[in-house]
Amino acid sequence: MSLNENKKNEHVTRFLELLEICYEGELKTFSDDFSNGDDTFYEKLKKEIQRARAGTVTLKKEDNFKKYNFFLEYKLWEKNNTDTEMKIFDLKVTRLIRNL
């Protein structure tokens, strides 16, 4: 995949946007939340992003970015949610996501 195609890759682009919105671009903070503090995940993620920016996105990596986006979209929704009843539901969904 060329760099121009990479710029059009909606999952990578969306990931970078959501990372900025939810974590102010702090990859380490996102990594810690997503992987429960696994430092090896952070290193792998950093390499994935570098490769994606260089234009190399395999289908498997694209699927990973879809998972990250789901997690980040949930975080964004959680940030904007103020309904108390939904917060209880959020806790159950959060546990489910973390078990994936």
Side-chain angles (χ1 to χ4, degrees), residues 3-97:
L3 185 57
N4 288 339
E5 288 178 79
N6 180 45
K7 288 182 181 178
K8 295 178 187 175
N9 187 310
E10 63 184 288
H11 304 294
V12 175
T13 304
R14 184 70 178 147
F15 170 75
L16 295 173
E17 290 170 357
L18 288 169
L19 182 66
E20 189 62 39
I21 293 168
C22 296
Y23 290 96
E24 298 174 2
E26 293 293 324
L27 187 61
K28 178 67 172 145
T29 307
F30 163 75
S31 171
D32 289 344
D33 281 353
F34 190 83
S35 69
N36 293 324
D38 180 6
D39 286 334
T40 59
F41 175 76
Y42 171 69
E43 293 301 322
K44 290 176 189 175
L45 178 61
K46 197 163 61 169
K47 288 178 184 178
E48 272 184 40
I49 292 172
Q50 289 171 346
R51 288 183 185 125
R53 287 182 175 159
T56 309
V57 180
T58 64
L59 290 176
K60 183 179 178 187
K61 297 299 180 188
E62 191 172 305
D63 286 344
N64 288 344
F65 280 104
K66 288 177 186 177
K67 291 175 191 174
Y68 306 151
N69 289 345
F70 179 79
F71 179 83
L72 288 168
E73 286 171 354
Y74 174 75
K75 285 289 187 183
L76 183 61
W77 178 82
E78 186 177 47
K79 227 182 215 186
N80 296 329
N81 185 23
T82 56
D83 185 5
T84 312
E85 287 181 30
M86 290 305 292
K87 287 290 185 182
I88 293 169
F89 175 73
D90 289 349
L91 293 174
K92 292 176 184 175
V93 171
T94 301
R95 288 186 196 125
L96 177 66
I97 290 171

